[in-house]
Amino acid sequence: MELYLDTADVTAVKRLARVLPLHGVTTNPSIVAKERKPIWEVLPALRDALGGTGKLFAQVMASDAERMVAEAVLLNQRVPGLVVKIPVTAEGLAAIKKLKAMSIPTLGTAVYGAGQGLLGALAGAEYVAPYVNRLDAQGGDGIAMVHELQQLLNLHAPHAKVLAASFKTPRQALECLLAGCQSITLPVDVAEQFIGTPAVQAAVEKFEQDWQGAFGTTLLS
Ligand code: E4P
């Protein structure tokens, strides 16, 4: 499977790349905007934070197919290997088809329905990103949508991967993996929750106390 961080925070990427088996970093316009720096500075810094390797994802800002394609070409030229995120709108589908013909890899994003995600994959996207928490937040069932989308891709577009996105809890991410998704992207706080629940720290501290009590040190020897 592929594990990504959903952030443009270079310090957080450096910190977590040291401990997690990261495949790369995903961004979106809101995530990059938070950094208050040009995207052409942010993307190389993220690649450096990953140790010079790893897959990066960045999104186009245009809303018509022609300009989406032009922005995608620019992103892909300036950041080699970058996967271009294209919202799966009608214009986005047209752009994904053109970019597929140009061999520029894409991710169909802003997916709120299984059928919409399937269309992105059939248009030629390498990844499709269902928005789990955002769908839950508007009264839908994000996990059920991911189940359907994964089944549809298995049956009709096996070249494409679900890159499940928009999480607020580790449980949401685990449910997507159990549904068969091959890739997930986690915000920094959710990634940290996977490894840092209070019970874990309490268990480690109790071991130290017991050892200290018996041997007067917290070291093995
Ligand atoms: C990824 O493709 C999305 O842009 C991102 O995961 C959305 O996350 P949010 O719903 O927490 O903003």
Side-chain angles (χ1 to χ4, degrees), residues 6 27-28 59 85 107 109 129 131 134 165-168 185:
D6 201 21
T27 69
N28 66 29
Q59 192 166 324
K85 293 175 71 175
L107 173 149
T109 195
Y131 279 10
R134 289 197 199 192
S166 179
F167 294 118
K168 286 291 164 282
T185 185

Side-chain angles (χ1 to χ4, degrees), residues 10-23:
V10 170
T11 310
V13 171
K14 259 188 210 151
R15 186 175 71 249
L16 288 169
R18 195 176 76 79
V19 294
L20 295 178
L22 287 184
H23 220 77

